[in-house]
Amino acid sequence: MQKATFAGGCFWCMVTPFEEQPGIEGIVSGYTGGHVENPTYEEVKTGTTGHYEVVEITFDPQLFPYERLLELYWQQIDPTDDGGQFHDRGSQYRTAIFYHDEAQEKLALEAKEKVAASGKFQKPIVTEILPAQTFYPAEEYHQGYHKKNKDDYKADRAKSGRDEFIGQHWSGE
């Protein structure tokens, strides 16, 4: 098993694209990249801790290779937005790929170049490729939020603009 860590805005919206894929053993919503130990959601959402909201995915690379995770990741985000994602604004909602080894770093950089060369976006790709740092799981109520709070999740996702963006830029992928 390997780990993949992705920041794509609200971590609730970053669980569903990955959870039903073959070889995905687990997905934990959490925080990484900041300067506060054991941050809480209340601290992270202020944007002052330096953390990103992320998902940490445990996967079997034989069943679902890292390259495929990267493809799916890019199709969930606006890689040109350095101020957050969709209606979630602030540094805690920026996009980033946190690599766990040199192979992941190489593949992430190649994938970023491919997205930049795709012609899908008029603005520069600002998603960062960063070394993995200490991961802090989010509070329990954030885990599986889309299942525990279906109506709230659906309403939040619907008003975010994420699905319209995905449809406009990634349909047919």
Side-chain angles (χ1 to χ4, degrees):
M1 292 295 153
Q2 293 183 8
K3 300 263 189 223
T5 305
F6 300 131
C10 172
F11 48 35
W12 299 339
C13 292
M14 293 301 294
V15 173
T16 55
F18 298 100
E19 71 180 345
E20 309 257 335
Q21 301 296 329
I24 304 300
E25 296 296 318
I27 303 174
V28 179
S29 296
Y31 320 109
T32 197
H35 58 273
V36 173
E37 287 188 35
N38 297 308
T40 65
Y41 177 70
E42 293 302 316
E43 293 171 321
V44 172
K45 77 177 188 176
T46 67
T48 61
T49 68
H51 290 89
Y52 294 73
E53 281 196 13
V54 297
V55 288
E56 183 179 77
I57 302 168
T58 303
F59 68 102
D60 180 341
Q62 299 300 315
L63 296 174
F64 207 85
Y66 187 68
E67 296 91 331
R68 181 67 186 113
L69 283 171
L70 289 168
E71 288 174 19
L72 193 52
Y73 167 74
W74 288 108
Q75 294 172 24
Q76 308 311 310
I77 65 167
D78 175 354
T80 68
D81 187 349
D82 63 0
Q85 286 292 283
F86 310 105
H87 74 150
D88 292 310
R89 309 312 302 159
S91 61
Q92 68 275 28
Y93 298 115
R94 293 169 294 161
T95 59
I97 298 168
F98 291 89
Y99 58 87
H100 291 264
D101 58 32
E102 288 181 16
Q104 283 189 357
E105 179 185 22
K106 180 179 183 287
L107 291 169
L109 288 168
E110 289 171 359
K112 182 177 179 177
E113 289 175 19
K114 183 178 175 183
V115 170
S118 72
K120 290 182 182 293
F121 303 99
Q122 302 305 308
K123 297 187 275 183
I125 305 303
V126 297
T127 300
E128 296 184 89
I129 312 297
L130 302 167
Q133 299 178 32
T134 303
F135 173 80
Y136 300 99
E139 294 79 355
E140 182 56 34
Y141 70 92
H142 288 296
Q143 309 304 330
Y145 185 88
H146 63 292
K147 292 179 181 176
K148 296 175 192 173
N149 302 283
K150 289 180 183 177
D151 292 339
D152 288 344
Y153 169 74
K154 285 180 182 177
D156 185 68
R157 185 165 178 124
K159 71 179 180 183
S160 75
R162 184 182 294 264
D163 292 329
E164 291 82 1
F165 182 89
I166 291 169
Q168 181 181 4
H169 289 88
W170 295 106
S171 63
E173 292 289 319

